[in-house]
Amino acid sequence: MIHNFDAIVLGAGAAGLMCAVEAGKRGRRVAVLERAERAGKKILISGGGRCNFTNIYCQPEHFISHNPHFAKSALARYTPSDFIALVEKHRIPYHEKTLGQLFCDRSAQEILSMLECECRAAGVQLFLNTAIDEVRRDTRFVVRAGKTEFHAPAVVVATGGLSIPKMGATGFGYELARQFGLAIHRTRPALVPLVLGDEDRERYCDLAGVAADVVACFGKQGFREKMLITHRGLSGPAILQISSYWNKPQPILIDLAPERNVTAVLRNSNSSRHLSAAKAAFRAVLPNRLADRWLELHTPANWTNAALEALELQAHQWAITPADTEGYDKAEVTAGGVDTDELSAKTLESREVRGLFFIGEVVDVTGHLGGFNFQWAWASGACAGSAL
Ligand SMILES: Cc1cc2nc3c(=O)[nH]c(=O)nc-3n(C[C@H](O)[C@H](O)[C@H](O)COP(=O)(O)OP(=O)(O)OC[C@H]3O[C@@H](n4cnc5c(N)ncnc54)[C@H](O)[C@@H]3O)c2cc1C
């Protein structure tokens, strides 16, 4: 059986649904083909089930790409305010949790229902349980799924990245890019917990569950947020953020006491230069168990000013070398992907293969934690949709 459309969108995730809505609203006949039995599975699990759907402070600096300028155009053309207007039109209650991060008050399901409702209103046809066997191009694109063929002059690849394979993530979008001769930047897990080597695990991981407010740094990047010790290593927002920049086997630097002078109280007194005073000073800044462990592992040889200064410095520059990341199984996103030099920044269309578009996570644009990845999905989807 052959279906004719104006555009075929591959993948009914955040980017694909947004793209289909925009194109459908402009009168295009759009098909969205989705392998899974339902659309938007990642939307449903996002933000702990409440979907951190955007960030009101979204700026191009919140994105990682080999070309840091690429995302600017799409992000300026479809802004957080545009998405918020849609959320408000559907009367979905939301709140700012922290740092500009907007979450649903009730459930991520409401964001998915909103997109599905917009798709229906725009006449978009959604084909679920549709695994794609082949995409080829003669005078138009032909997408084959079993015995069914979809024909259209445009195909939008919105099949996402490699994170969370048990939810069906595959390298399909990258394979398709390669098939059509587009370059790919090496992919890697991002926004992912870090695993410590055996020795460090022995030192710290029995403290699993302990969290502290830190600054985690790699190169010029630093994030001041919570760090969480896990059974296998480190996690929490500060660590997830820095994981997107980390290069194995280099160390990350952690400031355990940002903007605090922990040992000043010891240095300013001659009577409190001993271990229990040091413990009290560290306990004032860090959770007790972490403070005690830190001092066990970094007990100064003596209590001179020089030794106390060294102790202070160690706490602000804890250089720890992760053995690895937790990998795609636990990564919120995939960094790297389709080289942005291959695409128009305005429309996300391939420069060489006319009618072929790439949007969302499959592109080499990766947001920081905090609603930026969805904002990229909405923005890139909307820009492609308005070019179809
Ligand atoms: C646990 C978790 C929580 C997250 N929370 C947030 C958050 O709160 N805020 C935020 O901004 N970001 C969050 N993210 C990241 C965000 O979910 C992604 O950046 C976003 O979903 C990417 O959108 P996408 O449309 O490009 O890809 P996806 O949403 O992954 O959609 C891709 C779609 O393509 C389909 N597909 C794949 N291959 C094929 C194929 N061969 N044929 C047909 N269909 C195919 C998939 O089934 C899927 O439905 C989270 C991610 C995870 C894993």
Side-chain angles (χ1 to χ4, degrees):
M1 191 199 288
I2 295 178
H3 296 287
N4 283 299
F5 285 93
D6 295 322
I8 303 163
V9 179
L10 309 183
L17 292 173
M18 177 55 88
C19 174
V21 168
E22 287 302 312
K25 279 199 300 205
R26 295 171 54 254
R28 302 291 180 269
R29 291 169 306 145
V30 184
V32 182
L33 313 190
E34 168 59 53
R35 226 170 54 129
E37 71 293 354
R38 63 175 306 177
K41 277 186 171 182
K42 261 192 200 164
I43 297 175
L44 293 177
I45 60 159
S46 67
R50 291 229 161 87
C51 187
N52 176 194
F53 56 80
T54 193
N55 191 300
I56 52 177
Y57 303 125
C58 184
Q59 292 294 330
E61 295 72 51
H62 295 116
F63 296 84
I64 306 166
S65 171
H66 285 80
N67 177 357
H69 303 292
F70 179 80
K72 286 181 181 171
S73 170
L75 293 171
R77 283 150 53 87
Y78 190 91
T79 65
S81 306
D82 292 318
F83 195 77
I84 293 165
L86 192 59
V87 169
E88 290 180 351
K89 180 180 130 192
H90 285 258
R91 300 179 193 282
I92 298 172
Y94 64 91
H95 60 279
E96 179 183 345
K97 196 166 172 192
T98 173
L99 304 169
Q101 302 168 7
L102 301 190
F103 284 76
C104 297
D105 286 355
R106 292 187 295 240
S107 161
Q109 174 65 58
E110 291 180 301
I111 297 292
L112 179 57
S113 301
M114 171 187 89
L115 292 167
E116 288 175 327
C117 170
E118 289 284 320
C119 277
R120 279 192 299 276
V124 171
Q125 284 192 53
L126 184 54
F127 295 81
L128 299 172
N129 296 307
T130 304
I132 297 149
D133 298 311
E134 186 190 12
V135 179
R136 61 177 199 273
R137 186 181 183 231
D138 30 55
T139 52
R140 351 178 67 206
F141 285 94
V142 176
V143 178
R144 191 171 59 79
K147 290 191 177 131
T148 310
E149 281 191 355
F150 297 84
H151 292 198
V155 161
V156 183
V157 183
T159 46
L162 296 166
S163 37
I164 323 282
K166 71 168 187 276
M167 289 197 64
T170 67
F172 182 82
Y174 310 113
E175 284 157 31
L176 209 57
R178 279 193 201 97
Q179 179 194 324
F180 283 96
L182 278 75
I184 310 270
H185 283 291
R186 187 181 64 85
T187 57
R188 60 180 200 285
L191 298 181
V192 61
L194 298 174
V195 179
L196 295 180
D198 291 344
E199 261 181 42
D200 284 323
R201 228 190 274 185
E202 194 109 309
R203 288 185 181 124
Y204 299 106
C205 288
D206 62 314
L207 303 180
V210 171
D213 183 29
V214 304
V215 179
C217 298
F218 186 79
K220 289 187 187 141
Q221 285 297 327
F223 294 93
R224 183 171 181 164
E225 283 190 64
K226 283 258 182 296
M227 173 191 81
L228 173 73
I229 300 177
T230 69
H231 289 105
R232 286 164 50 84
L234 300 175
S235 187
I239 298 300
L240 297 179
Q241 298 277 33
I242 213 65
S243 74
S244 300
Y245 290 89
W246 177 60
N247 279 328
K248 197 175 168 182
Q250 289 168 258
I252 56 168
L253 285 184
I254 298 175
D255 183 347
L256 290 170
E259 292 166 32
R260 302 286 291 268
N261 193 329
V262 191
T263 57
V265 47
L266 281 79
R267 267 180 285 166
N268 293 338
S269 142
N270 281 331
S271 58
S272 55
R273 292 179 179 235
H274 46 74
L275 193 57
S276 53
K279 268 195 182 166
F282 274 89
R283 280 179 167 218
V285 173
L286 289 171
N288 291 354
R289 290 172 67 206
L290 180 55
D292 295 355
R293 179 64 50 84
W294 186 260
L295 274 168
E296 273 164 38
L297 295 168
H298 301 87
T299 316
N302 55 54
W303 300 97
T304 60
N305 279 347
L308 288 174
E309 267 161 36
L311 182 65
E312 182 75 38
L313 194 68
Q314 274 171 331
H316 294 290
Q317 293 189 1
W318 179 25
I320 186 143
T321 306
D324 214 333
T325 72
E326 293 269 12
Y328 290 114
D329 283 353
K330 296 277 170 63
E332 217 169 86
V333 283
T334 303
V338 176
D339 187 344
T340 57
D341 285 352
E342 302 279 5
L343 307 174
S344 152
K346 206 170 155 200
T347 63
L348 285 298
E349 184 178 13
S350 159
R351 293 182 187 283
E352 297 294 326
V353 188
R354 281 295 137 100
L356 183 63
F357 297 70
F358 287 83
I359 57 172
E361 199 177 319
V362 73
V363 180
D364 174 32
V365 174
T366 305
H368 288 175
L369 190 74
F372 301 106
N373 283 298
F374 276 136
Q375 188 56 38
W376 169 245
W378 316 135
S380 59
C383 286
S386 51
L388 289 170

